[in-house]
Amino acid sequence: MFFSRSRIAALRRPSTCAYFGLPRWSRSLLTLAIESSCDDTSVAIVEKRTNPQGGDQAKIHFLENITADSRAHRGIHPILALESHQENLADLVNKALRSLPPANDGPQSIRLADGSVRQRPDFVSATRGPGMRSNLSVGLDTGKALSVAWQVPMVGVHHMQAHLLTPRLVSCLNHSADSNVASPAFPFLSLLVSGGHSIIVHSQSLTNHKIMASSDDIAMGETLDKAAREILPPTLLEEAKTTMYGKTLEQFVFPNGPTDFAEYRPPMTRGEEVIKRKSKWGWSVTTPFANTRALQLSFSSVASMVNKIIKDKNGHLSDEERVDLGREAMRVCFEHLSSRTIIALEALRLRYRDEEEIKTLVVSGGVAANKFLMHVLRSFLDARGFEHMKVVAPPPYLCTDNAAMIGWAGIEMYEAGWRTRLSCRALRKWTLDPEAEDGGVLGPTGWVAL
């Protein structure tokens, strides 16, 4: 099941894919990937080609997501999400197979029901954790079944590791002949911000990620969703097509996009962060930990303050006041994250000096698609002595949970020599940090190193 030199040699077969425009003896890796950690059922087919003269290049042959419809509950409903995975995953996999590259009939191919012959994936990637265990198991067990049926290895992927590696996938999708490796190169600082996670991570290598700060309560994405449910006009809330209310809030408060926040200016000093900003409506939203340098994140107070403001006014707010409140809630959340990011960068600069300079800030997860967040981060970096820092974020369709990032993380782990035993089980909790009690990415049992 876990192949060695003869199998690796087979990966160097001549290329028949002219769309890459690379020499025929480029090395190729092809994976079918599955993501089912929460309420998104996603399948992707991802390929990576490596040419010593031309660097790495990636192609997403197929990517499709189906999100469980839990709008009636105004948030993720675990049972509905599970049922959605069970109803949709097999059909998505079946659909994805038709997007596998064409191949000649042989041991490295599979024949589909329509008679076409397709290239067999070199391995299967499936999210192993963290996430909802029952939901994860649907995808993981499907991945195991495909691994057995095709007699290829499987890689059980860490969901958060996949998020922080996504910009490396993007760099290979936008292949440049003068780049020989995926970028950003390690080390870099990662901000993983979504509905379930808010962490600042020092990414030193593929499997070594030191968590420098995390939310003590709820994630920023959850805070923005909760605030949005209070702030959005009832009619707009009812018309929302998804439960990603934070995204709907961004569209409501910044209808003209970046033009609406072009005049934003960050606090120029730490002292300015603690200044309380009272609105013309009489309310204010306090920034968490503004008067400390603690490397901690906390967002629950923002949602609580928004709830109190709405209750104090019995819900009677004009659209103008709702816009102002939404902007203020976002500003406070984003400035809090930016402030802790600066503190983390200063700590790393002091610790490593010039030995391991951080040149790139990676922002990933669902909230990374928020343009105001990216503007606030860039403004903070420029104002606090990190104007040289490059900020990278995936395009919106790769920010939220998706199987393409799972496939890419699987490829990076596979190339590093890691496979997962078919006896592995889904993990509800799974940290990134090797110093954590569970040992981080490589901590759980089930890994096989070749």
Side-chain angles (χ1 to χ4, degrees):
M1 180 61 65
F2 299 101
F3 305 121
S4 56
R5 298 179 186 228
S6 61
R7 177 71 179 112
I8 298 300
L11 295 177
R12 299 185 180 274
R13 57 187 177 272
S15 168
T16 59
C17 300
Y19 52 75
F20 278 103
L22 295 177
R24 289 175 61 82
W25 288 101
S26 295
R27 182 167 63 86
S28 169
L29 279 177
L30 182 71
T31 186
L32 183 143
I34 298 170
E35 154 63 13
S36 64
S37 63
C38 191
D39 63 337
D40 287 300
T41 308
S42 183
V43 175
I45 293 174
V46 183
E47 184 173 13
K48 179 185 177 184
R49 287 185 174 272
T50 301
N51 175 2
Q53 285 87 37
D56 298 334
Q57 188 171 14
K59 182 177 180 67
I60 300 174
H61 294 273
F62 177 88
L63 173 60
E64 191 165 322
N65 292 18
I66 296 177
T67 304
D69 187 355
S70 53
R71 287 175 293 173
H73 302 274
R74 295 203 170 175
I76 295 169
H77 191 285
I79 295 177
L80 290 180
L82 174 61
E83 291 174 346
S84 180
H85 293 313
Q86 293 169 331
E87 292 170 2
N88 295 305
L89 182 54
D91 283 338
L92 274 185
V93 169
N94 195 42
K95 185 177 180 180
L97 296 181
R98 297 194 289 272
S99 295
L100 287 167
N104 296 321
D105 206 354
Q108 304 300 326
S109 65
I110 57 176
R111 184 176 292 275
L112 303 186
D114 61 5
S116 64
V117 180
R118 303 287 175 171
Q119 185 176 324
R120 185 181 68 180
D122 296 299
F123 65 99
V124 178
S125 305
T127 309
R128 186 182 179 188
M132 300 177 184
R133 185 175 291 145
S134 56
N135 296 14
L136 287 165
S137 295
V138 176
L140 192 63
D141 289 347
T142 301
K144 291 179 183 181
L146 292 171
S147 174
V148 171
W150 291 335
Q151 289 294 283
V152 298
M154 188 184 77
V155 177
V157 174
H158 192 299
H159 180 87
M160 301 310 293
Q161 180 197 32
H163 269 304
L164 64 86
L165 293 176
T166 304
R168 291 166 62 85
L169 163 63
V170 175
S171 75
C172 290
L173 290 172
N174 303 323
H175 170 78
S176 173
D178 59 2
S179 175
N180 289 322
V181 294
S183 64
F186 296 105
F188 53 83
L189 195 70
S190 304
L191 307 183
L192 303 184
V193 283
S194 66
H197 303 272
S198 293
I199 53 178
I200 300 176
V201 187
H202 180 207
S203 297
Q204 296 170 280
S205 70
L206 178 62
T207 57
N208 188 352
H209 307 279
K210 174 66 178 177
I211 296 178
M212 300 190 69
S214 61
S215 178
D216 289 342
D217 36 64
I218 63 176
M220 182 162 66
E222 183 179 348
T223 290
L224 293 177
D225 284 343
K226 286 184 173 181
R229 287 196 290 267
E230 301 283 354
I231 295 170
L232 289 170
T235 53
L236 190 58
L237 195 62
E238 291 171 5
E239 292 171 358
K241 296 181 179 180
T242 72
T243 57
M244 297 172 63
Y245 299 117
K247 180 179 180 180
T248 305
L249 180 64
E250 180 189 9
Q251 295 167 344
F252 173 67
V253 303
F254 298 122
N256 302 308
T259 303
D260 288 332
F261 49 78
E263 296 183 1
Y264 168 82
R265 295 295 178 269
M268 300 303 292
T269 65
R270 291 271 311 137
E272 288 185 22
E273 290 182 32
V274 303
I275 297 175
K276 197 170 186 178
R277 302 188 186 183
K278 197 167 187 178
S279 73
K280 66 180 182 180
W281 311 100
W283 45 255
S284 62
V285 181
T286 305
T287 303
F289 297 136
N291 58 351
T292 77
R293 287 183 59 84
L295 260 177
Q296 293 175 275
L297 296 171
S298 176
F299 299 101
S300 62
S301 63
V302 177
S304 297
M305 283 184 275
V306 167
N307 178 266
K308 184 177 184 304
I309 290 167
I310 297 291
K311 281 188 174 180
D312 286 347
K313 300 208 168 190
N314 294 317
H316 299 311
L317 285 77
S318 65
D319 281 358
E320 182 187 1
E321 186 173 2
R322 289 178 186 275
V323 166
D324 285 351
L325 183 56
R327 290 182 177 184
E328 187 67 359
M330 284 190 183
R331 180 193 68 80
V332 169
C333 285
F334 299 162
E335 286 192 356
H336 173 49
L337 177 67
S338 300
S339 171
R340 302 307 108 169
T341 300
I342 296 297
I343 293 171
L345 287 170
E346 289 172 345
L348 291 174
R349 176 184 281 175
L350 185 63
R351 184 185 310 168
Y352 295 105
R353 299 190 183 277
D354 295 330
E355 297 176 14
E356 194 182 41
E357 183 184 5
I358 301 294
K359 299 178 181 179
T360 307
L361 178 65
V362 167
V363 190
S364 197
V367 188
N370 189 299
K371 292 181 174 61
F372 185 42
L373 167 61
M374 302 304 291
H375 183 77
V376 172
L377 275 170
R378 181 74 267 170
S379 300
F380 259 72
L381 292 167
D382 291 345
R384 303 294 181 87
F386 291 94
E387 57 275 2
H388 66 283
M389 187 74 59
K390 183 179 180 181
V391 181
V392 296
Y397 80 100
L398 292 176
C399 283
T400 53
D401 293 351
N402 66 88
M405 72 177 191
I406 301 303
W408 180 259
I411 286 173
E412 292 221 35
M413 291 296 286
Y414 187 90
E415 285 188 313
W418 294 103
R419 317 288 187 270
T420 307
R421 295 187 188 279
L422 297 181
S423 59
C424 75
R425 299 174 65 183
L427 300 170
R428 185 175 67 87
K429 293 184 178 181
W430 189 5
T431 68
L432 283 165
D433 199 327
E435 296 181 9
E437 186 176 345
D438 67 1
V441 173
L442 296 177
T445 57
W447 286 113
V448 176
L450 296 186

